[in-house]
Amino acid sequence: MDCRGSFPIVKCTYCRTEFQQTSKGSTSAICKKCDQNVKQYGKPSACELCNIIAAFIGSKCQRCTNSELKYGPAKEERKDPETYRYPKVNVIEHGVRQ
């Protein structure tokens, strides 16, 4: 039995989260969640907000959908997909921690 540390950590092709591969022979760079979504919904399209290819249902990825529910719609004046496009919550004003 191999030590867990002997398996490489890779980034998912679709959602870009880091995960540890489960076998040395595996060359797949798709996390379990995205793999299930590909089997259920097919290959994803690019998210209209962040341009990550992880929009399995509709035109937005799950991260952007959840952020819109939590913080409201994304600001349109920022066009750079690499920047975080949701307004930052004022910690003192809203009494929440980030």
Side-chain angles (χ1 to χ4, degrees):
M1 182 170 227
D2 287 324
C3 177
R4 211 177 104 180
S6 63
F7 299 116
I9 294 177
V10 294
K11 279 192 176 185
C12 177
T13 303
Y14 298 125
C15 65
R16 295 186 184 168
T17 57
E18 289 186 347
F19 70 98
Q20 193 160 24
Q21 287 184 329
T22 55
S23 65
K24 287 184 179 180
S26 175
T27 58
S28 175
I30 301 172
C31 68
K32 287 181 183 179
K33 184 178 175 184
C34 288
D35 188 43
Q36 289 175 346
N37 284 337
V38 167
K39 288 175 184 171
Q40 187 172 0
Y41 303 109
K43 291 205 175 203
S45 60
C47 174
E48 67 180 21
L49 298 175
C50 67
N51 289 330
I52 293 175
I53 301 176
F56 287 97
I57 305 171
S59 59
K60 297 176 192 164
C61 67
Q62 193 63 44
R63 180 178 171 268
C64 288
T65 300
N66 290 340
S67 293
E68 275 193 329
L69 291 173
K70 189 172 183 179
Y71 303 114
K75 290 185 176 182
E76 290 300 320
E77 66 266 10
R78 292 190 207 167
K79 297 294 183 188
D80 184 12
E82 296 300 318
T83 59
Y84 191 69
R85 295 170 40 137
Y86 291 92
K88 290 192 176 188
V89 176
N90 187 335
V91 174
I92 297 170
E93 184 179 311
H94 293 288
V96 295
R97 272 188 141 168
Q98 287 193 357

